[in-house]
Amino acid sequence: MTKEIDAFMKKVIARNSGEKEFHQAVREVVESVTPFIEKHPKYKNAKILERMVEPERVIMFRVPWLDDKGEIQINRGFRIQMNSAIGPYKGGLRFHPSVNLGILKFLAFEQVFKNSLTTLAMGGGKGGSDFDPKGKSDQEVMKFCQSFMTELFRHIGPDTDVPAGDIGVGGREIGFLYGQYKRLRNEFTGVLTGKSLNWGGSLIRPEATGYGCVYFVQEMLKTRKMSFAGKVCVVSGSGNVAQYTVEKLNQLGAKVVTLSDSDGYIYDKKGIDDKKLEFVMHLKNVKRGRIKECADEFGCEYVAGQRPWKVACDVAFPSATQNEINEADAKVLVKGGCIAIGEGANMPTTPEGVRVFQKAKILYAPGKAANAGGVSTSGLEMSQNSMRLGWSREEVDKKLHGIMVSIHENCVKYGKEQDKYINYVNGANIAGFVKVADAMLDQGLV
Ligand code: NDP
């Protein structure tokens, strides 16, 4: 099988040169799916996988805007419309200086499988810009968002492509983007998700990725007759996903001892309780400050320039960015007694790191399964927008929980190995693949 996988990857690398994150994401899927395809020649004959690694459409555009000093700034905007076999393109927008074509193609590719797993009718896409909202005034962020949408609006729509937030795109940015879309189209539709409650947003959408990730790990723990009560958890990041991961873990009786940002991490032995979390939320969402300030406030440790994986824990939740756990980090986590990993972020563990977790037979949930709660609730937001109705908090949370349980069941169905170890990577990739591949077969040469 290695020969087939290597030959496939050789072509992908040649056609998409320099896009290393995209190669990494594709290889992971190809490794899982190739043995399955060999057993089901209909997919092989129709070259489904070869088609799936080619985006349906890539849009790249100039985003000029004026900063507060009156100086012209130019950024690059992107939208990758990866696959629409099972529904309109759906996936977030990322604003971060590291954004490039390869990173967005990896995210769009992952999104196709993730959205398929959710059981909802959503294709996969992703977009964003190399614009850095950090250190910019609200006015500058607004001007950038307006310029970005002035091009993007012609490529999206409530039945075509429905973007959402991701790194650097939260409630503030979604508001500015939506306002500009509405001006240009003269339409009030559910074209973006993650909107504010008073103009079409869904309850639980801000919480959904973090809550969903914790629900998924809860299901994994149940397979070993364990629960979160008393478990020490390490969380990286301190943005949207990390914040609501902590909130749900606290509700379930776990103790979260770390949070981080790109400058370093805090270690609070006593646990980041709800009161401290409130401080973090204000710091990050309103003041837009640095995580270091929490150490001064809580009287806890701050470690500059490092990630939190050296802190011994039962469960780890990487919730910042891609490739934040390498092989050495994974070994340290396993040695420290970690029994489960829930990836809030997309592809936060390198392939070598994943092998360490799987070799140690710990519970390992890849992002495309564990963090699918965000896009699932975006799907629920789209349904509510279409009906022009709003569901209660309890209703949305119940649906979210049900979706995470069903994603877990699907991973078990396709990922259980002979020795009963559940390979969640294979499970998620194969389950995600089958639904999209069957739709592509039904729809002919698309
Ligand atoms: P936010 O922008 O709200 O927060 C991102 C956090 O990660 C910040 O604390 C940020 O620190 C840190 N971070 C970002 N880039 C880096 C980096 N290169 N190195 C170290 N730390 C970094 O984003 P989200 O919480 O929305 O997203 C976090 C992850 O979750 C991403 O991988 C995203 O793709 C994934 N995800 C998000 C979903 C959502 O619904 N929002 C859905 C599914 C997945 P700093 O402020 O210093 O940059």
Side-chain angles (χ1 to χ4, degrees), residues 55-87:
E56 287 178 13
R57 193 174 297 107
V58 173
I59 301 144
M60 272 173 76
F61 50 98
R62 182 203 301 150
V63 189
W65 57 281
L66 270 185
D67 70 15
D68 285 349
K69 290 189 221 114
E71 211 172 291
I72 295 169
Q73 300 288 340
I74 296 120
N75 285 97
R76 184 173 289 174
F78 303 85
R79 187 71 184 164
I80 317 295
Q81 298 182 329
M82 199 76 193
N83 194 304
S84 61
I86 61 167

Side-chain angles (χ1 to χ4, degrees), residues 94 96 107 114 126 134 165-169 205 209 237-242 260-263 284 290 307 319-322 344-346 371 374-375:
R94 176 176 291 191
H96 193 272
L107 288 163
K114 184 189 306 190
K126 199 86 189 187
K134 236 180 275 166
D166 189 74
I167 292 176
V169 179
R205 176 61 190 94
T209 308
S238 50
N240 172 267
V241 178
S260 71
D261 62 20
S262 50
D263 295 333
K284 286 291 172 183
R290 310 307 301 158
R307 294 177 163 141
S319 309
T321 193
Q322 65 272 2
N346 284 309
N371 70 36
V375 73

